[in-house]
Amino acid sequence: MIMFIVFIVLLFNLMNVLLKKKTNEAIVVLVSPDQAVNGTIKFKQTDDGVVIEGEVLGLTPGKHGFHVHGKGDLSDGCTSTGSHFNPFNKDHGSPDSENRHVGDLGNIVADDKGVAKIQITDKIISLRSGDTNILGRAIVVHSGEDDLGRGGHDDSLTTGHAGGRVACGIIGIL
Ligand SMILES: *[C@@H]1O[C@H](CO)[C@@H](O)[C@H](O)[C@H]1NC(C)=O
Ligand SMILES: [Cu+2]
Ligand SMILES: [Zn+2]
């Protein structure tokens, strides 16, 4: 009987380890209204956060706001993806700020050829089930720099004053 209980407990622990080790991955294929901007971005859930890697082409050189928006709806282009993913009703901020939207991933930086290489680890967004899960929502790249809430503009604390939406894509299961 004791052996049986020990066996069941061990089996249970093993299942737990296997389930937790299962990596969740996602992919975004970016589209832009005028086809000028494109790119593919991959997301991998780790125990230290979500690792985001990829490349965006066709941007103007410099910084571009990079966010998760709330809806995975491209029926009206990037406009219908709604505002920044914000399940906890906070202000817009920098990725390392306590007061940020869950979707606030800061800026990506394009070189003089218009290519932005992305290598970000974020501890707030998640590919696991729960309030911060981003699957089915959208990634949006903006025309301008995200001021991370510090610019003092009317829209600094809502959008980071990052300007128009130059490309977007739905976060899909990989
Ligand atoms: C992606 O964008 C770049 C820069 O605008 C362009 O040169 C390239 O042809 C595009 N690639 C595709 C597959 O559309
Ligand atoms: Cu945005
Ligand atoms: Zn935001």
Side-chain angles (χ1 to χ4, degrees):
M1 185 61 185
I2 291 195
M3 284 299 282
F4 181 70
I5 291 173
V6 167
F7 174 73
I8 292 295
V9 168
L10 283 177
L11 194 68
F12 209 80
N13 284 343
L14 180 67
M15 269 170 53
N16 247 332
V17 167
L18 287 177
L19 285 174
K20 285 207 176 105
K21 281 280 175 322
K22 196 184 79 172
T23 53
N24 300 321
E25 295 183 46
I27 186 164
V28 171
V29 177
L30 291 175
V31 294
S32 74
D34 58 2
Q35 319 269 298
V37 180
N38 57 58
T40 302
I41 305 166
K42 289 184 176 176
F43 298 73
K44 186 182 269 183
Q45 179 76 57
T46 72
D47 287 335
D48 297 322
V50 174
V51 177
I52 309 166
E53 285 177 327
E55 216 172 55
V56 184
L57 288 75
L59 293 167
T60 55
K63 292 184 179 178
H64 295 269
F66 183 68
H67 316 124
V68 179
H69 286 225
K71 298 174 188 166
D73 176 4
L74 303 187
S75 61
D76 188 21
C78 301
T79 308
S80 40
T81 61
S83 47
H84 297 189
F85 178 39
N86 185 21
F88 305 126
N89 235 331
K90 296 198 176 188
D91 287 333
H92 179 76
S94 79
D96 56 9
S97 164
E98 188 65 36
N99 193 14
R100 63 169 259 193
H101 301 143
V102 167
D104 292 348
L105 299 176
N107 286 288
I108 59 173
V109 187
D111 64 17
D112 55 10
K113 294 191 176 67
V115 179
K117 288 188 163 45
I118 303 172
Q119 176 67 256
I120 297 171
T121 301
D122 190 77
K123 292 186 187 305
I124 303 297
I125 60 169
S126 177
L127 303 182
R128 295 185 176 133
S129 60
D131 290 339
T132 58
N133 184 296
I134 61 169
L135 290 173
R137 303 185 188 281
I139 285 287
V140 176
V141 179
H142 289 267
S143 59
E145 176 177 353
D146 182 332
D147 70 13
L148 309 177
R150 303 179 194 126
H153 299 279
D154 283 350
D155 56 357
S156 289
L157 291 175
T158 52
T159 69
H161 195 65
R165 305 176 177 191
V166 293
C168 56
I170 297 169
I171 304 163
I173 295 168
L174 186 61

